[in-house]
Amino acid sequence: MKFNSFIKKLNKRNGSQLAVLIDPDKFNPELVKLANTCKVSCFLVGGSVLERGNIKQTVKAIKALSKIPVILFPGDEHQLCANADGVFLPSLVSGRNPDYLIGKQVLMAPQIKKMRLPHLSMAYLLVKGNRESSTQKVTDTQPMGQSETKKIINTALAAQMLGFQLLYLEAGSGAANSVAASLIRAVKENTTLPLIVGGGISTRAKTIRVINAGANLVVVGNAFEKDVYLLPQISSCF
Ligand code: 1GP
């Protein structure tokens, strides 16, 4: 239910919402408590590779503190649990590694079905953020250059035609350069799917740029791990 009303708003494709990305390895309850007092539309839970954090425990801990929807953003088949409100099922369409295009999804699909998790398919486009991201390392794929606008637009278009329900433009966690406003604008103008943008968004100025460029969901993780008090500053942009 919570998932559906959040998605309904996202599907309107105008306006922008904030998602707080929680890496279970670095879970901080203070961030969740603070989110309750800020404009936060959902928590995303996941990571390219998890060391010790337990997804199920993390979701349970968030839910004990907040009514904000908790959506899984699984890097692999070990990052699913039934107590979340839904899942964004990613396919790394910027890369050419079959495991991350369809292999992992084949392993996740029966679990999602069994858990009866509401889900949306998400085309995940990794772009260069000026340093090697953990997604790049784990998936052994190359990100797309931010100046390869045509290629990125065509990839996003192909994903839309293939039936994906969401687009995610990702510069990689902790990226020095977040996704350029011109690139966000170009993808937005050429596609009709809700557009998620993340990676290296760490200041109010960057957040405003991404919102004005047309991102429908802005994902921030790293910056809040470093300083929870950035949350009220960034959420006031929405
Ligand atoms: C990573 O886009 C997200 O998948 C968030 O990136 O951790 O840099 O905010 P940051």
Side-chain angles (χ1 to χ4, degrees):
M1 204 53 220
K2 266 194 208 172
F3 184 74
N4 289 345
S5 48
F6 164 67
I7 294 303
K8 212 169 152 189
K9 217 165 141 197
L10 194 60
N11 274 333
K12 285 194 181 135
R13 236 185 136 251
N14 50 23
S16 211
Q17 305 186 66
L18 175 64
V20 173
L21 178 70
I22 295 196
D23 177 339
D25 285 337
K26 297 167 191 156
F27 177 62
N28 177 1
E30 292 313 310
L31 181 61
V32 176
K33 287 185 208 158
L34 200 55
N36 290 333
T37 67
C38 297
K39 278 194 206 157
V40 173
S41 297
C42 71
F43 291 107
L44 289 181
V45 180
S48 342
V49 66
L50 295 184
E51 281 154 24
R52 57 183 168 80
N54 179 308
I55 293 276
K56 194 175 169 186
Q57 290 308 322
T58 306
V59 172
K60 196 175 163 196
I62 299 172
K63 287 198 154 286
L65 296 169
S66 178
K67 291 191 168 28
I68 298 170
V70 181
I71 299 173
L72 302 175
F73 173 39
D76 63 37
E77 70 277 17
H78 305 295
Q79 298 183 27
L80 293 166
C81 60
N83 56 345
D85 294 298
V87 55
F88 288 167
L89 182 61
S91 173
L92 186 63
V93 297
S94 56
R96 295 296 177 267
N97 181 341
D99 281 346
Y100 289 90
L101 275 164
I102 185 68
K104 297 282 176 193
Q105 296 74 2
V106 171
L107 299 173
M108 286 191 253
Q111 294 188 59
I112 292 173
K113 187 176 179 209
K114 195 171 170 202
M115 292 172 182
R116 296 176 186 229
L117 269 176
H119 50 275
L120 286 183
S121 56
M122 179 171 79
Y124 192 57
L125 285 82
L126 184 64
V127 300
K128 272 189 193 144
N130 262 26
R131 71 177 182 132
E132 197 187 14
S133 64
S134 52
T135 307
Q136 187 180 342
K137 272 186 237 165
V138 170
T139 63
D140 193 22
T141 64
Q142 287 306 310
M144 301 171 103
Q146 293 219 24
S147 56
E148 296 179 283
T149 316
K150 200 92 215 129
K151 192 172 157 193
I152 294 172
I153 289 173
N154 292 345
T155 304
L157 255 185
Q160 180 174 314
M161 289 177 185
L162 284 165
F164 281 89
Q165 294 161 297
L166 301 169
L167 291 173
Y168 192 140
L169 273 180
E170 164 77 90
S173 190
N177 295 347
S178 40
V179 183
S182 55
L183 182 57
I184 298 171
R185 220 166 264 128
V187 171
K188 179 84 180 203
E189 279 166 9
N190 284 280
T191 55
T192 56
L193 296 176
L195 183 57
I196 306 173
V197 178
I201 299 166
S202 53
T203 61
R204 265 182 66 87
K206 281 187 181 181
T207 308
I208 291 168
R209 233 176 287 146
V210 168
I211 294 173
N212 289 344
N216 301 112
L217 187 66
V218 180
V219 182
V220 181
N222 231 274
F224 298 151
E225 282 164 14
K226 288 187 182 142
D227 178 9
V228 287
Y229 296 104
L230 255 182
L231 176 56
Q233 289 180 36
I234 286 186
S235 71
S236 67
C237 302
F238 293 82

